[in-house]
Amino acid sequence: MSTLHLINRSPFAASALQELVSAVSEGDHVLLIEDGVYAALGTAASKWPEGVEIRALREDCVSRGIAPASTLLETIDVAGFVALTASTDRTVSWF
Amino acid sequence: MASQGLTYALMVQGAPYSQQASHSALRFAEALPAQGHRVATVFFYHDGVYNAASMMTPPTDEPHLLERWRALHQTQQCELLVCVASAVRRGLLDHGETKRHGHPHPTLEAPFELTGLGQLMQAAHHHDRLITFAP
């Protein structure tokens, strides 16, 4: 059973990201959306446990002035978001 | 592809024009058919119930969220369920609640429907995926 975790909170404004990091397990997927994409900047990306795939929603990066090339993570579009929800067994939202 | 299509329930908890949740949920829902999926239920909860305000009148150069939800209902035949406990205390009343509480005009109209949390449980049970769009 694989889980997709959605997080829409900035790591600079809320503790949701820390809680998520402590709860994910190997094989899980994480998608940063809305203000959650700020976690794609700088060193925040390196704290993730191994075996967890982390991506950021490209539109939400671009609308916040974060160029996808400047992030340390893979970015995906909304079609990729849909595909992730279909390929995982369930989705959990952190906020 | 269509035979493998999944049905989705979406829960929207964010207020329109204050938080991104409505936009994120609509963007997601509108992208489902391209991959053979469809949204079957949208459940509006907490401040998300304001998405159903029938007199919503945004400036013409801004997205009209109520119209987008109505269009989604038309194109994907999804039900638009609004938590009655969240809605009535925020002034969103359908015809029946309007009469019952002695108010002059309903502020919530079809295709939105007032329902209880039982319908959310049912949607979560019947559909393949439940995605929460948080405030």
Side-chain angles (χ1 to χ4, degrees):
Chain A
M1 291 285 274
S2 61
T3 302
L4 169 64
H5 301 266
L6 299 176
I7 177 157
N8 74 344
R9 290 287 195 270
S10 163
F12 306 110
S15 61
L17 182 75
Q18 285 166 272
E19 291 159 21
L20 164 57
V21 168
S22 64
V24 286
S25 40
E26 203 176 327
D28 282 358
H29 295 258
V30 174
L31 180 62
L32 312 175
I33 64 168
E34 303 178 0
D35 282 350
V37 299
Y38 288 115
L41 289 170
T43 54
S46 63
K47 292 179 207 153
W48 295 96
E50 281 193 28
V52 177
E53 296 209 42
I54 303 116
R55 299 177 181 85
L57 191 58
R58 193 176 307 142
E59 280 182 27
D60 288 346
C61 290
V62 172
S63 66
R64 285 165 179 78
I66 301 171
S70 73
T71 70
L72 304 173
L73 304 175
E74 182 192 346
T75 61
I76 58 171
D77 60 10
V78 174
F81 181 5
V82 169
L84 259 184
T85 62
S87 65
T88 49
D89 298 302
R90 61 187 162 219
T91 302
V92 177
S93 296
W94 296 78
F95 55 97
Chain B
M1 185 78 193
S3 61
Q4 299 164 349
L6 303 176
T7 58
Y8 281 71
L10 308 184
M11 176 154 62
V12 179
Q13 295 191 14
Y17 304 110
S18 299
Q19 285 147 338
Q20 200 185 322
S22 313
H23 300 275
S24 294
L26 279 162
R27 179 176 64 177
F28 181 88
E30 289 165 0
L32 287 171
Q35 295 178 45
H37 311 309
R38 69 176 270 263
V39 58
T41 300
V42 183
F43 191 91
F44 299 93
Y45 198 31
H46 295 172
D47 281 351
V49 299
Y50 288 119
N51 280 280
S54 65
M55 294 177 204
M56 182 187 290
T57 312
T60 52
D61 60 346
E62 285 183 22
H64 197 307
L65 293 171
L66 188 80
E67 291 304 325
R68 292 265 300 275
W69 290 119
R70 282 189 182 141
L72 190 72
H73 167 76
Q74 288 240 313
T75 54
Q76 299 193 37
Q77 287 78 50
C78 59
E79 45 184 15
L80 302 174
L81 306 182
V82 181
C83 171
V84 64
S86 294
V88 171
R89 59 161 55 83
R90 287 172 174 81
L92 290 159
L93 282 70
D94 64 4
H95 185 70
E97 294 291 333
T98 300
K99 278 183 85 171
R100 199 153 75 86
H101 295 281
H103 291 292
H105 302 294
T107 46
L108 180 147
E109 288 165 4
F112 293 89
E113 316 166 42
L114 290 181
T115 57
L117 283 178
Q119 269 85 348
L120 173 63
M121 295 302 120
Q122 211 162 36
H125 183 70
H126 283 306
H127 305 322
D128 299 306
R129 298 287 185 276
L130 170 67
I131 318 284
T132 297
F133 290 89

